[in-house]
Amino acid sequence: NDLWFVLTNKIDGSLDYLVLNTNATKTDYDSGALTSSTFTNPYAASSNVIAYCFHSVEGYSKFGIYTGNGSTDGPFVYTGFRPAFVMYKRTDVAGSWILLDTQRNPINVSGNQLFPDLTNAEFAGSVMDILSNGFKFRDGSSNNNASGGTYIYMAFAEMPFRYSNAR
C-alpha cells in the first residue's frame, strides 16, 4: 500500500507529516535531511516517491492551520480570495481528510464533501460558507470544528487575481 505524505511546518512550528490516504494524526518528521530542494522519505529510503510541493501564493493559494471552537458559528479562515477548493484535516487526533469545492457546492452553506482517505461516496451536509475572502465553518463536529481542535488546510482561488491582466 503506497502512502501519500504531507510534510508541513504549519501545525506546531516543527516539521511534521501526515498521510493523505489515511486518517492518522500528525507524526514528527525526524527522518534525515530537509533542504529547500530535498527531503527523505519517512518510511523507506529505497521506495519510490512522487512529491507535490506547494506554498502559499498571494491571491492564488493559501496553506495554514485553524483552531476549532465547536460551534455552528465556527471560525473564519482568511485566505484573501474566494476559494474554489478547500481541503482540511484535524491533526491532533485521527480524522479524515475533507475536500469541498465550489463546482459541487456553488451556493452556501457548502457541504458536499469528498474524503481522499476513504472509498466513500460523496457525503452531503452543511459544513462551511465559502466567502469572497475565505471560508467560515457552520458545523461544530469533530472532523470540521471541534472545540480546541487543530486543523491544517489548503485552499486554491476560484479566480486568481494577483497576476491577472485586464483585457
Side-chain angles (χ1 to χ4, degrees):
N1 189 14
D2 294 327
L3 300 175
W4 292 61
F5 294 102
V6 176
L7 188 62
T8 182
N9 64 355
K10 298 285 186 188
I11 299 168
D12 58 16
S14 65
L15 208 51
D16 302 306
Y17 72 88
L18 300 118
V19 182
L20 183 62
N21 55 332
T22 75
N23 70 352
T25 186
K26 71 145 179 111
T27 302
D28 291 335
Y29 177 84
D30 57 7
S31 293
L34 177 70
T35 70
S36 62
S37 61
T38 63
F39 61 90
T40 302
N41 181 342
Y43 278 108
S46 62
S47 64
N48 294 325
V49 174
I50 296 174
Y52 298 98
C53 303
F54 299 104
H55 68 94
S56 295
V57 175
E58 185 180 345
Y60 179 78
S61 61
K62 182 80 172 177
F63 303 86
I65 61 168
Y66 69 89
T67 301
N69 67 8
S71 169
T72 55
D73 185 15
F76 168 72
V77 178
Y78 177 80
T79 60
F81 52 79
R82 178 176 166 81
F85 170 97
V86 177
M87 186 166 65
Y88 58 95
K89 181 194 185 323
R90 187 164 180 188
T91 64
D92 56 332
V93 299
S96 286
W97 292 86
I98 300 173
L99 183 153
L100 289 102
D101 63 78
T102 57
Q103 291 300 304
R104 291 171 309 110
N105 295 284
I107 59 172
N108 289 324
V109 174
S110 295
N112 295 337
Q113 306 161 60
L114 295 174
F115 303 92
D117 59 311
L118 301 174
T119 58
N120 297 18
E122 178 180 85
F123 179 78
S126 297
V127 177
M128 72 172 62
D129 288 337
I130 296 179
L131 306 167
S132 63
N133 59 351
F135 53 96
K136 181 173 179 57
F137 284 88
R138 298 296 183 190
D139 176 75
S141 70
S142 176
N143 275 343
N144 303 309
N145 177 29
S147 181
T150 303
Y151 299 80
I152 189 169
Y153 72 89
M154 64 187 295
F156 290 92
E158 186 175 73
M159 297 292 281
F161 58 87
R162 167 107 196 229
Y163 299 104
S164 297
N165 295 320
R167 295 183 189 242

